[in-house]
Amino acid sequence: MGEIMDLKQAVQKLSEAIGKTTELFYTQREAEGYRAFGELLEPMAGLLDSLFSVKASQGKPEFDEKELVRLLTEAVNAMEAKDSVLLADILQYDFLDRMEQIAGQLE
Amino acid sequence: MAEKFLFTSEPARDGNPYMSVAVSGETFRLNSNYRPLAEADTWAAGQQLAETGAIVLLFGVGNGYFLRALLKRLPQDAAVIAYEPSEELFRFVQSRYELGDLLSDRRLTLLTESIFRKQIYALLDRSIHWSNAKKQSVCIHPQYDRIFPEQLAFFEELIRANNIRVYTNRNTEMHFGRSIASNVALNMRYVPEAGTLSALVGRFPPGASAILVAAGPSLDKNVDELKKAEGRAFIIAVDTSLRTLHAHGVKPDAAVMIDADIRQKYFTDTDFADIPLFAQIQANHEIMRLHTTRKIWFDSHAYLKQYYHEIGRDMRDYHGGASVATAAFSVCAALGFRRIILIGQDLSYHGDVTHAGGETMAIQAEEENLCYVDGTDGGKVKTRHDWLQYLRWYERVVQETAGEIDVIDATEGGALIRGTRLMTLSEAIEKYCTVPVDFAALLRENLRTLSGEERKSLAKYLHRGILEAEKIRKLSQELCVLLDRESIALERTDARRADQYCSERSAWLRGRIAERNALIADCSVYPLVDDAIKQVSIPAITEMLETEGTEKERCRVLISANRRLYRAMAEAAGELGEKLHYAM
């Protein structure tokens, strides 16, 4: 139970951090945005690891692991193409959306 | 070859269309392809905008999403100047997107590439003043910095140069305001015998050339050649070149003077007294007194303009740029010359020398503002910030009048003025100074002085000015008394109710000041008084505009700044009244 609550809090925290990062991209503060995104990578990877491990041990929450990996690959591609708005869109509307769906299952 | 653009508009995930631009093998999305309108709102919310009186300079209109989001955020007193650097893109957008609401928004001035360079200078001149310059924000449409980097560099340089102009003008107003007001009042005595440039427009023979003599170091090289042009061109000389011309036996057809504080030494050992003079009425009255022949106003102070307006005479402004040479150029252009030959227009140092005759004239903070620009000889030449400003002015005007005025730079040295044709003076005279010009006859035939009736009305106008100056003095003194009383009351206010008291009292006080100020500003002599107090009024107004803090602190500044301003106004009005007496 404690593990699931921790996960829920981690999703919420990440959601706030992603919101702040995407705002930087949407307002053309790209250097700050990429810096903030760089700082997000570790917590994002940590959260995904935790989700995968909780799912493996408890059978929930349900989510498409491949799709999450695909989204992250798209985000990295957008970053490499220096398309900061696409990167923000993927984080804000795809990745965060999935995270919130997953968090909903942790109620 | 112009780059080929390919524009596309497709639905985003949320159903709204988003736009892309493909150029040189690269594709740039102008909007989010997820939620473009939400992206524009977030972008607009992130722009730093002044809360009141904001002036937004937007680079790129795109499909209008960002501009619309910006306008949604701005109050009604804001102004947006939007520049779209691609005509093609704008045509595409007009065919695919609804822009009616934007184009009818009275806060917006939209300039597309075809009109931008013709209109932006006048627009910035009208829109940005020292009192609102800090309320400017420069916004760049996403991706436009990548698609149009050269146009963006030009746009940013334009804004930077405009800000320098705005603050230079402020400093000039502060520094010369008092002299300007005093000169205008004292020079009004020359109005009956003076004429205006309008009377001479289009009177020169077709095909005649003008030679504009500036006072740069290169004038020493070719001044003797000028004798060959006497009677074959209209030779107009800036005031500081007269000594060199006289020393070489050259008498120009006309001289130009604009400076309020120009020094007498430039006029000793010259023919100045009997050379027709194109002048601003605000020019140094002591020098004006030495001048005994025809004066021709080419740009006037509001006080003189009001008089000409009352007698129904045309008094347009022809002044351009900020130097006496750029003013002389504007005079030639206004007179209708289609070919203007520049000499002595170095706009750069020759070693340490700044002017003809081996003279070195320093300016304030000279060392901090030196830079290098392209020279006419293909190398680099050293220049300073004021000359650079004039150089940019020339380049802009030469570009704007291309096809109408052929500008030949026969300086034979100095900075390269882009758009001009380089030639030696000897060659230019040989080729283009072929039409005889008799300026003295032209003046005799066309320049009209005031009639008997007009002289009487001028006397009445000056008398009215004297009475108005006294009225302004009294109204200002009354305001000083009122402000003193308010200052005492403010300091006695109970600290617990200070904010409420100050809020109510400030509003009341502003109303009283505005009421009196309307009576003052209604006087024809007010522009003179206003100039005379710039050294006090500009810092006082700046302090009022920029003060933050508690209601009490702001109220205290409102009182003290206005107190300084109206005390200066009372003194200035008294002095100007006396000077107008002298003009009568």
Side-chain angles (χ1 to χ4, degrees):
Chain A
M1 190 66 187
E3 206 172 10
I4 285 180
M5 284 311 289
D6 285 350
L7 264 180
K8 211 178 147 185
Q9 276 173 1
V11 170
Q12 260 171 3
K13 219 169 143 184
L14 189 65
S15 163
E16 282 165 23
I18 286 178
K20 283 181 187 157
T21 306
T22 58
E23 192 181 321
L24 292 171
F25 286 131
Y26 289 134
T27 53
Q28 294 167 299
R29 286 179 283 170
E30 293 195 358
E32 287 174 73
Y34 282 118
R35 229 176 2 253
F37 180 60
E39 286 165 17
L40 272 181
L41 289 173
E42 208 180 295
M44 277 167 79
L47 177 65
L48 288 179
D49 282 347
S50 305
L51 284 173
F52 293 151
S53 114
V54 171
K55 188 183 174 189
S57 63
Q58 300 183 21
K60 75 171 207 176
E62 280 180 27
F63 58 89
D64 184 343
E65 291 170 31
K66 280 186 189 157
E67 197 206 2
L68 278 183
V69 172
R70 182 183 58 78
L71 285 178
L72 286 181
T73 310
E74 278 180 18
V76 170
N77 290 344
M79 189 178 77
E80 282 171 359
K82 293 189 179 154
D83 192 339
S84 58
V85 171
L86 179 59
L87 173 58
D89 283 342
I90 293 168
L91 293 173
Q92 179 83 28
Y93 301 120
D94 289 335
F95 186 75
L96 210 55
D97 194 44
R98 300 300 180 281
M99 286 295 115
E100 276 161 8
Q101 280 172 17
I102 294 166
Q105 295 180 49
L106 302 174
E107 297 293 334
Chain B
M1 205 177 95
E3 286 176 297
K4 191 143 180 62
F5 292 103
L6 185 68
F7 308 112
T8 49
S9 181
E10 292 173 84
R13 277 201 197 174
D14 69 355
N16 288 299
Y18 74 93
M19 196 177 150
S20 301
V21 180
V23 60
S24 308
E26 252 193 290
T27 300
F28 302 91
R29 242 183 327 92
L30 296 188
N31 316 98
S32 156
N33 58 356
Y34 282 58
R35 296 186 192 179
L37 300 183
E39 178 208 12
D41 284 338
T42 308
W43 174 85
Q47 304 303 311
Q48 302 274 326
L49 307 171
E51 283 176 18
T52 58
I55 300 167
V56 181
L57 303 159
L58 172 66
F59 181 72
V61 173
N63 55 3
Y65 288 0
F66 293 95
L67 174 56
R68 187 174 288 110
L70 204 54
L71 286 166
K72 212 160 69 182
R73 254 202 74 192
L74 288 165
Q76 285 305 311
D77 68 351
V80 177
I81 297 172
Y83 165 38
E84 173 49 59
S86 168
E87 270 327 307
E88 274 178 277
L89 189 149
F90 190 63
R91 274 195 298 273
F92 175 84
V93 168
Q94 276 185 307
S95 71
R96 301 292 178 100
Y97 293 84
E98 176 51 49
L99 299 179
D101 60 320
L102 297 177
L103 299 179
S104 63
D105 193 311
R106 58 172 193 79
R107 293 169 295 173
L108 173 68
T109 307
L110 195 154
L111 302 175
T112 54
E113 182 64 18
S114 59
I115 53 170
F116 178 72
R117 284 169 203 244
K118 288 249 177 207
Q119 296 189 7
I120 187 65
Y121 298 98
L123 186 60
L124 290 178
D125 199 29
R126 276 201 309 276
S127 315
I128 300 169
H129 181 250
W130 62 262
S131 60
N132 67 3
K134 285 192 177 163
K135 298 193 172 195
Q136 284 175 93
S137 302
V138 179
C139 302
I140 300 165
H141 191 295
Q143 300 291 8
Y144 268 61
D145 52 339
R146 290 179 179 144
I147 310 172
F148 305 104
E150 282 169 24
Q151 290 93 329
L152 176 59
F154 177 75
F155 184 67
E156 288 179 327
E157 170 60 21
L158 193 79
I159 294 165
R160 197 186 67 82
N162 187 58
N163 287 334
I164 292 173
R165 182 192 62 80
V166 162
Y167 288 109
T168 306
N169 285 354
R170 182 194 65 173
N171 296 342
T172 307
E173 284 176 26
M174 276 177 65
H175 189 74
F176 294 108
R178 198 180 169 90
S179 301
I180 286 172
S182 169
N183 289 335
V184 173
L186 294 168
N187 288 338
M188 286 299 287
R189 65 200 293 240
Y190 304 117
V191 170
E193 294 300 323
T196 63
L197 185 147
S198 311
L200 303 172
V201 172
R203 303 289 181 187
F204 284 83
S209 298
I211 300 180
L212 191 169
V213 186
S218 295
L219 181 60
D220 292 332
K221 291 183 207 167
N222 55 12
V223 60
D224 290 319
E225 289 292 324
L226 259 184
K227 282 183 218 139
K228 292 183 195 161
E230 283 178 344
R232 296 170 60 187
F234 173 59
I235 303 175
I236 183 166
V238 307
D239 43 18
T240 44
S241 72
L242 292 174
R243 280 192 309 177
T244 302
L245 294 182
H246 184 74
H248 289 262
V250 177
K251 188 172 178 184
D253 292 305
V256 183
M257 181 166 84
I258 61 170
D259 289 352
D261 281 350
I262 189 157
R263 286 146 67 186
Q264 201 150 343
K265 68 170 189 173
Y266 295 111
F267 303 91
T268 49
D269 299 327
T270 71
D271 301 320
F272 174 67
D274 58 345
I275 298 170
L277 180 68
F278 285 89
Q280 290 185 319
I281 195 165
Q282 48 264 53
N284 188 334
H285 72 273
E286 286 175 8
I287 309 298
M288 209 72 102
R289 195 158 46 91
L290 303 175
H291 183 258
T292 52
T293 187
R294 307 305 296 273
K295 296 175 178 59
I296 306 145
W297 311 128
F298 66 90
D299 168 65
S300 193
H301 190 276
Y303 183 60
L304 176 60
K305 217 183 283 184
Q306 175 62 26
Y307 167 67
Y308 278 126
H309 175 73
E310 287 182 15
I311 61 167
R313 281 184 60 172
D314 185 17
M315 180 67 237
R316 270 175 282 169
D317 285 341
Y318 296 101
H319 181 38
S323 78
V324 63
T326 57
F329 185 95
S330 300
V331 165
C332 293
L335 288 171
F337 284 99
R338 295 289 163 258
R339 180 167 293 112
I340 302 172
I341 301 163
L342 309 176
I343 65 167
Q345 191 60 95
D346 294 69
L347 300 169
S348 68
Y349 292 86
H350 183 74
D352 287 330
V353 174
T354 59
H355 284 73
E359 194 164 339
T360 300
M361 260 200 285
I363 58 160
Q364 272 188 345
E366 185 168 330
E367 289 301 316
E368 297 160 26
N369 292 293
L370 298 176
C371 62
Y372 285 83
V373 293
D374 292 337
T376 54
D377 62 359
K380 294 281 180 190
V381 291
K382 188 168 76 169
T383 189
R384 60 187 203 201
H385 69 104
D386 53 339
W387 292 337
L388 188 62
Q389 199 184 337
Y390 311 149
L391 174 65
R392 298 293 176 239
W393 182 91
Y394 268 119
E395 290 179 338
R396 169 167 71 83
V397 172
V398 169
Q399 187 190 41
E400 282 172 358
T401 56
E404 294 163 32
I405 302 177
D406 178 21
V407 186
I408 295 169
D409 187 355
T411 295
E412 301 179 31
L416 178 69
I417 305 171
R418 283 173 215 290
T420 61
R421 291 195 293 141
L422 296 178
M423 211 175 272
T424 63
L425 179 59
S426 166
E427 200 183 347
I429 292 171
E430 186 68 28
K431 272 191 175 173
Y432 299 118
C433 299
T434 52
V435 176
V437 174
D438 184 351
F439 186 57
L442 225 139
L443 275 183
R444 271 196 310 275
E445 287 160 21
N446 297 291
L447 204 68
R448 189 165 82 80
T449 55
L450 294 190
S451 67
E453 276 308 304
E454 286 168 339
R455 283 165 203 249
K456 278 185 204 162
S457 70
L458 176 64
K460 280 186 192 162
Y461 182 70
L462 292 172
H463 183 65
R464 194 172 89 211
I466 293 165
L467 297 178
E468 285 175 340
E470 179 56 16
K471 178 178 158 186
I472 292 175
R473 192 184 66 78
K474 282 186 177 159
L475 283 166
S476 302
Q477 279 182 336
E478 281 170 28
L479 274 171
C480 287
V481 172
L482 174 73
L483 290 160
D484 281 343
R485 224 170 39 218
E486 287 303 312
S487 176
I488 294 165
L490 175 70
E491 297 314 324
R492 285 182 183 159
T493 309
D494 183 341
R496 284 167 299 180
R497 49 181 295 269
D499 271 4
Q500 195 197 342
Y501 173 84
C502 289
S503 167
E504 289 166 5
R505 214 59 196 164
S506 294
W508 177 83
L509 196 54
R510 279 197 185 92
R512 292 295 297 270
I513 293 171
E515 206 175 85
R516 301 291 165 94
N517 220 27
L519 295 173
I520 291 172
D522 205 30
C523 297
S524 55
V525 81
Y526 171 68
L528 281 183
V529 180
D530 186 41
D531 274 342
I533 62 166
K534 292 281 189 203
Q535 203 152 22
V536 176
S537 65
I538 289 175
I541 293 168
T542 305
E543 191 185 0
M544 284 190 272
L545 288 172
E546 292 179 359
T547 295
E548 290 169 353
T550 63
E551 282 287 348
K552 188 170 181 177
E553 282 159 352
R554 278 182 287 154
C555 189
R556 194 178 276 143
V557 168
L558 176 74
I559 292 169
S560 68
N562 274 300
R563 176 74 174 79
R564 292 199 303 277
L565 197 151
Y566 286 103
R567 191 173 60 191
M569 195 177 279
E571 277 172 22
E575 284 172 18
L576 284 168
E578 284 172 25
K579 283 175 179 154
L580 288 173
H581 260 297
Y582 170 79
M584 285 183 77

